[in-house]
Amino acid sequence: GAGVSQSPRYKVTKRGQDVALRCDPISGHVSLYWYRQALGQGPEFLTYFNYEAQQDKSGLPNDRFSAERPEGSISTLTIQRTEQRDSAMYRCASSLAGGGTTNNEQFFGPGTRLTVL
Amino acid sequence: KNQVEQSPQSLIILEGKNCTLQCNYTVSPFSNLRWYKQDTGRGPVSLTIMTFSENTKSNGRYTATLDADTKQSSLHITASQLSDSASYICVVNGGGYQKVTFGTGTKLQVIP
């Protein structure tokens, strides 16, 4: 079926506003990951889920960042009281499962480009 | 701390030439290592996946090697094409909860 989708593709917001970024993983994929990518850099891990359970959130920069995946499918990354330094590409990826080398290959979405003015 | 370091940071080569990109990691435990190609403005796309027991794996003109003892990997590109211009990212999976560590990438530019 379709690959990983993210929305919106572009988001421009004013400093201090809250934003919600959505990720729709490949159907049936157990694991979902959020990354932040600065221009010219590799993706920086933020958090990931197995089904609806958030397994690791050690990469979230501070408590303004949160993520949820309430039904084990779609996930939302929320940034409260945005700051200019939050501007980046936010990428989501999903994988079928852990264990095998093929199963845990991550498939990436197109990303949401966030610009905080 | 788990780290993945890539070198060089950037590389310019002539079309048709070969090149080799390096990846050194300190991730432990180790499950597998992947090389991704990321075109500008696009998400990363997997090129190769290798587990602990695999020393080499090819995908067309791309050949990846892995030395699990020294924790080093390389990606060799043969007869480069203009379309190879992209960032190449080494990603190491530590197993367990499928957490992965990304390298910062090598930006390759192939010129005519």
Side-chain angles (χ1 to χ4, degrees):
Chain A
V4 178
S5 62
Q6 293 184 245
S7 61
R9 293 293 307 277
Y10 302 92
K11 176 69 177 179
V12 180
T13 189
K14 291 183 178 180
R15 183 166 52 94
Q17 298 293 309
D18 298 349
V19 296
L21 312 181
R22 171 180 166 138
C23 172
D24 200 341
I26 294 173
S27 178
H29 276 197
V30 169
S31 300
L32 184 148
Y33 308 77
W34 281 100
Y35 296 92
R36 178 169 68 176
Q37 187 169 15
L39 193 64
Q41 299 288 319
E44 172 194 13
F45 170 81
L46 296 178
T47 185
Y48 90 96
F49 295 82
N50 279 344
Y51 299 103
E52 73 283 0
Q54 190 170 21
Q55 297 287 356
D56 186 337
K57 56 181 181 180
S58 62
L60 296 176
N62 50 61
D63 60 8
R64 294 187 297 105
F65 287 73
S66 63
E68 63 175 8
R69 193 186 185 198
E71 298 180 358
S73 178
I74 295 169
S75 176
T76 302
L77 177 70
T78 302
I79 308 173
Q80 296 178 310
R81 305 181 301 281
T82 53
E83 301 177 5
Q84 287 185 325
R85 58 178 174 159
D86 299 334
S87 297
M89 175 72 81
Y90 289 83
R91 293 199 187 274
C92 171
S94 70
S95 66
L96 184 60
T101 58
T102 300
N103 287 344
N104 64 14
E105 177 181 354
Q106 295 184 23
F107 296 84
F108 284 82
T112 294
R113 169 68 67 187
L114 174 66
T115 302
V116 182
L117 302 176
Chain B
K1 180 179 179 182
N2 290 336
Q3 287 187 314
V4 178
E5 296 181 348
Q6 292 187 242
S7 62
Q9 284 190 323
S10 61
L11 182 63
I12 300 175
I13 62 172
L14 292 174
E15 185 180 12
K17 296 296 186 182
N18 303 336
C19 67
T20 300
L21 314 179
Q22 299 291 340
C23 172
N24 297 338
Y25 61 94
T26 60
V27 176
S28 182
F30 173 85
S31 177
N32 58 65
L33 182 148
R34 307 186 197 85
W35 282 92
Y36 283 86
K37 178 186 178 186
Q38 184 173 18
D39 293 309
T40 301
R42 307 289 294 274
V45 175
S46 179
L47 294 175
T48 64
I49 302 173
M50 288 185 294
T51 61
F52 183 88
S53 60
E54 296 176 297
N55 301 119
T56 185
K57 183 163 285 188
S58 292
N59 177 3
R61 294 180 297 102
Y62 300 101
T63 299
T65 65
L66 173 66
D67 185 334
D69 291 331
T70 62
K71 297 187 177 180
Q72 295 179 328
S73 177
S74 65
L75 180 69
H76 185 75
I77 304 175
T78 304
S80 61
Q81 301 177 358
L82 297 178
S83 59
D84 293 332
S85 296
S87 289
Y88 291 83
I89 304 172
C90 175
V91 179
V92 180
N93 188 325
Y97 297 114
Q98 300 103 53
K99 182 176 178 180
V100 295
T101 305
F102 282 72
T104 54
T106 293
K107 188 174 178 61
L108 174 65
Q109 185 177 357
V110 181
I111 59 176

